[in-house]
Structures are given as C-alpha cells and as structure tokens.
Amino acid sequence: MLAKRNFYINGAWVAPAKARDLHVINPSTEEPCAIISLGDQADTDAAVAAAKAAFPAWAATPPATRAKLVAGILDQYNARVQEFAEAISMEMGAPIDFALSDQATCLPWHTNNFLKAFEHIEWVRPLGPHAPGAAIAMEPIGVVGLITPWNWPVNQIALKAIPAMLAGCTCVLKPSEESPLNAMLFAEFCHDAGIPAGVFNLVNGDGPGVGTQLSTHPDVEMISFTGSTRAGRAISKAAAETLKRVALELGGKGANLVFADADDRAVERSVRRMMENTGQSCNAPSRMLVERSVYDQTVTKAVEVAESIKVGPANQPGPHVGPVVNKRQWDQIQGYIHKGIEEGARLACGGPGLPDGFNRGFYVKPTIFADVAPGMTIEQEEIFGPVLSIIPFEDEAEAIRIANDTPYGLTNYVQTGDPVRANRLSRQLRSGMVEMNGKPRGAGSPFGGVKQSGRAREGGIWGLEEFLEAKAISGYDFTLTDAAE
C-alpha cells in the first residue's frame, strides 16, 4: 500500500490542517491500495490564497515563457510514464495495457494540441476597420477551481489544468477521491518542470467538502467541472452566489445510428467502443439504433462481439476490460440490468452478477439488451457501465427522433455508407459532437455537449478561450509593441 500523501500547495507538499484519512480501494481486489488525506476549509483556503498570490506574476509572464514551462511537464511524463499508467490502472481499474495506450497518453495528446493552438491566440485584437483604435484584449480570468472525475482521470486534468496555466490562470485542483494518485504524480510533474509556486495547487477531498468549498470561495473566479449531471447542478447553484464562470462537462446517453448500408466492421467497432473502459465513458455509444432491415443480424453480431470480450484484473496484460471503479457503481449497474429485465427488454447476453470465475472485485459482464423500447429506463438514463441497449427504427426520421429524445446531448454516432445522409444527420443530431463511420474527432477538436450534458468546450482553441476574458479597450495604439504578446 502506498503511504499517505498530503497536498501540493504553493510549490510544496504540505500536511493537512486536520488529520482525516481515506483508503483508496483497488477495484480489482477490493483491497486498499493507498491512503490519502482529505482536505477541509483551511486547506482549501490555503491553496486558493497561494493561487491568488501567484496570479499577477503568472498572468504577466510572457505567453512564450508560459508555453515553455508547461511543455516541460511532458519531459517529466516521459520519464515516468510506466509509473503513471500503473497508478491509473491500480486506482480506477483500467487494464494496464489500456492505461498505457489510452489513459496515460491523454496528457501528451492534449498538451501538444493545446500548445499548437496556443501559438495562434491573438492577445490584443483590433475590433475592425469600422472602429479605429478599438481593441479586444484577451486576459486570464484569474484563480480557477478544477474538479475532475475518476473515469478518465488524467484526460480531464489535461483538458483543464494545461489550458488554464497556458492562459495565465492559476489553479486549485480537486481530483476525484477515487483516483487521486495520478493527480499527485501530475503535481510532481509540474513541480519538477519548474512551474512557479502557487500556479498549480492540489487539495484532495470529496465533493461535499473541498468541491463545495471551491465552488463557493469568493476568490475563485471560475469552476471547471467534469462529472455527473446531478453534481453539475449542485455546483452551478453553489457557484451562483459569487457569480463565477462555470464550465460543465457532464453525462451522456449517446445514440449510435446503424443503417443497412453501414460498412462490415460497423457493428464490431461500435460494440467495442461501448465496452471500452468498462463502459465508464460519458461519450459511450450506449444506445445502438438499428435499421429494421438489418436488425436481427446486427443483434446477432453484437452479441458475438460482446461475448468475445474478456474480463480480467487491471494488472493483467492483454486486451480485456477491467472492473468498474467501486461497489456503489457496481450496485448501480446491477440495478439497471435488473430494471431492463423488469421493463421487458430482451437480455441478449451478459446479465446480473459477477462474471464466471470471479468472487470478488467489481466486475460486470459485458451486457446487451435487445428489443429496447424508447422510454425504457435503460434507454433514457446514463448507466456508466458495459451495458448496451439496441433499438430498431424504421426510417431516418424515426432514428433522428429517438436519438434526440433524451435529456442528454454529448456525442452521437452515425454508421452509413451514404455520405449525403451522413452529412445531413451530422447537422440534425442534437449533441456537441458527432462521430461518423469510426472516424475519431480531429486533434484539437472541442469536447463538450448540449442540454444536460453541460456546455463546456474542452480542447484546442476553444478550451484555451474558456479560461480567458475579453476586455474592450478604446484608444489603443497598435503601432506600439504590447509586452503581453
């Protein structure tokens, strides 16, 4: 078991104001794998004070210097990538090969994309030839509170902390108490890369504690949160009293429209994409809508693929899925599986209980329900586990209606060989993202949704500008060199 770790505040590891410990549980074994300290108001106040004190100098640091310091984080990552991936695997259950290939690599992927986009920011912009001397200056918002989840932990840290620091903001990170170890390694990367004291701070804690303290703190100008829609509502209410900017990236219930002319690999890649990360992705294609003429054969193929997916411990190499993160999550998924059966969906494979060969660990059978009707609980609510619902449709109009009939709007998917239809559907589906025919989003594309999926836009230039404010200036002399540029 890893020894207890404290908080990273003002460039140093410090002890908590009060001793309150939490065991981090390895979901593969149900055994503690680390002990962390949980913060209270005094710890949050200290971290915010450090960030506030560091803000003026960091905001005034030339952008090129900020970029060079942030890029140095990647050197630390490269030297410790194996350790980084092992921490993610142990604390949240991602199989080690997947942690190395997909989870840990989110840090260099997003950082490099942000650094590229950062080169194109115009810090002081002419308003236009119609308004001589009118300028728009883009300036950092100030101290930002970052609250990140456990399912793709470093992905969300990279999507928040990297652009915030590049923009000139100072940060206080509260990572999920389920997966704090990778966040503490990230703090070490920042320290060893020479990020100035107070620019990046970390306080471990839970949502009702440190999360609420950051959301209500008068010296925090912005909260960037990724997590459940329920928690997003609570954060919005808490932040309203101090009129913070709030960026929310929340849940999803993605529809994946499979037409008769889809390519031969569409079903397999769709099922594997759903089961990836044990279904614990907000943008998972958890509703497969299938054209009636190919419905039966699609269900058969989907079941064949799901039954070929192995389940195993996170530290075991190989192409399998691991456990879900904790007992509460396991119980919730089991409840949804039972609900699907009770409401009359056809259990095509998988089902309740532990997979064969397991008597401990939070493992879930890759599960498929067929003949799911619109409006069923498993069709409407985010399950956040390896459970796929398959729904037939008669024509394109019905597919669009079913796909859009959800409170969520994060990612939708289209599988069709007709490029005209693909383009048409990409504009008609109500979501922040649409991925078609297995093509991933482009480097630097924004990640975010609409409706109850929140309206954050994380990634690329959009992710950087979320941490900037526009200042209108009149009488600006553009013939002079601006020291901020």
Side-chain angles (χ1 to χ4, degrees):
M1 185 188 302
L2 296 179
K4 181 169 65 178
R5 297 295 303 276
N6 296 323
F7 309 141
Y8 185 73
I9 298 175
N10 203 29
W13 292 97
V14 300
K18 294 180 181 178
R20 191 159 68 100
D21 294 342
L22 175 75
H23 285 84
V24 179
I25 303 300
N26 181 334
S28 294
T29 64
E30 302 186 36
E31 296 292 335
C33 63
I35 302 174
I36 61 168
S37 302
L38 294 180
D40 66 6
Q41 187 70 58
D43 303 303
T44 303
D45 288 347
V48 173
K52 183 178 180 181
F55 174 68
W58 184 243
T61 299
T65 302
R66 293 201 301 264
K68 184 177 180 179
L69 286 164
V70 169
I73 293 171
L74 295 183
D75 294 332
Q76 306 305 317
Y77 163 85
N78 289 331
R80 303 177 67 181
V81 60
Q82 182 70 34
E83 178 187 5
F84 197 50
E86 287 174 357
I88 295 169
S89 178
M90 178 174 63
E91 64 189 342
M92 58 75 58
I96 184 60
D97 288 356
F98 183 73
L100 278 165
S101 65
D102 290 67
Q103 287 270 6
T105 53
C106 291
L107 179 54
W109 171 256
H110 291 308
T111 301
N112 284 319
N113 288 336
F114 279 126
L115 287 168
K116 183 176 181 180
F118 191 67
E119 296 174 358
H120 301 288
I121 291 180
E122 291 182 80
W123 295 97
V124 181
R125 311 168 183 178
L127 184 59
H130 66 286
I136 305 298
M138 303 303 293
E139 299 184 347
I141 193 169
V143 177
V144 296
L146 312 175
I147 303 175
T148 54
W150 48 261
N151 60 318
W152 285 88
V154 73
N155 182 71
Q156 297 308 130
I157 293 171
L159 282 170
K160 299 179 191 300
I162 297 297
M165 289 189 288
L166 285 172
C169 297
T170 54
C171 318
V172 179
L173 170 67
K174 188 209 84 66
S176 169
E177 64 274 27
E178 302 285 351
S179 58
L181 305 180
N182 73 96
M184 290 189 283
L185 285 171
F186 180 82
E188 292 184 10
F189 297 169
C190 290
H191 179 274
D192 294 345
I195 299 296
V199 171
F200 176 84
N201 306 273
L202 180 149
V203 178
N204 283 310
D206 56 20
V210 175
T212 298
Q213 292 156 18
L214 286 172
S215 300
T216 57
H217 202 291
D219 291 333
V220 174
E221 300 289 345
M222 174 182 173
I223 291 289
S224 179
F225 170 78
T226 297
S228 70
T229 298
R230 174 195 56 77
R233 290 194 191 99
I235 285 170
S236 294
K237 292 175 182 177
E241 188 66 28
T242 49
L243 300 177
K244 291 177 178 22
R245 179 184 294 179
V246 179
L248 302 175
E249 197 277 285
L250 308 175
K253 192 67 180 176
N256 182 16
L257 281 58
V258 180
F259 289 86
D261 61 357
D263 66 84
D264 293 342
R265 299 200 60 189
V267 176
E268 179 176 0
R269 70 167 171 265
S270 296
V271 174
R272 293 193 183 280
R273 176 68 179 79
M274 173 61 226
M275 303 301 173
E276 178 185 87
N277 208 40
T278 322
Q280 298 171 118
S281 300
C282 52
N283 62 340
S286 55
R287 295 183 296 154
M288 183 182 284
L289 280 54
V290 182
E291 192 168 5
R292 179 72 72 177
S293 62
V294 293
Y295 179 76
D296 290 339
Q297 66 198 65
T298 298
V299 171
T300 298
K301 178 63 177 177
V303 168
E304 175 188 319
V305 174
E307 290 182 337
S308 74
I309 296 173
K310 297 178 180 179
V311 178
N315 64 354
Q316 176 180 301
H320 60 280
V321 299
V324 296
V325 72
N326 58 26
K327 181 65 161 57
R328 182 187 60 79
Q329 192 73 14
W330 191 88
D331 286 341
Q332 179 173 290
I333 294 165
Q334 298 301 309
Y336 277 115
I337 292 172
H338 286 291
K339 192 72 172 177
I341 295 170
E342 291 169 8
E343 292 186 354
R346 173 163 60 93
L347 182 62
C349 70
L354 290 169
D356 292 342
F358 292 91
N359 58 15
R360 66 181 311 166
F362 306 124
Y363 300 97
V364 178
K365 302 172 187 176
T367 297
I368 291 180
F369 281 100
D371 306 341
V372 175
M376 284 184 176
T377 302
I378 60 171
E379 191 266 340
Q380 282 288 301
E381 297 185 13
E382 185 179 39
I383 298 173
F384 226 61
V387 181
L388 172 64
S389 297
I390 303 184
I391 307 155
F393 66 83
E394 299 295 339
D395 55 27
E396 186 177 313
E398 184 182 25
I400 294 169
R401 180 182 59 78
I402 295 171
N404 289 340
D405 185 20
T406 170
Y408 297 105
L410 190 56
T411 311
N412 286 310
Y413 301 80
V414 175
Q415 318 295 332
T416 179
D418 182 346
V420 174
R421 172 159 55 197
N423 282 0
R424 183 168 61 242
L425 288 168
S426 73
R427 302 303 301 277
Q428 293 176 318
L429 291 167
R430 284 279 294 146
S431 55
M433 299 170 284
V434 178
E435 297 183 19
M436 298 189 289
N437 297 319
K439 293 181 174 63
R441 295 185 316 281
S445 292
F447 188 102
V450 298
K451 300 191 284 187
Q452 291 187 27
S453 292
R455 285 180 164 79
R457 290 296 181 270
E458 298 185 322
I461 194 70
W462 297 269
L464 288 161
E465 290 188 343
E466 283 214 321
F467 295 97
L468 296 173
E469 294 185 302
K471 174 190 285 184
I473 303 172
S474 60
Y476 193 86
D477 188 342
F478 285 96
T479 66
L480 301 177
T481 300
D482 194 324
E485 292 183 329

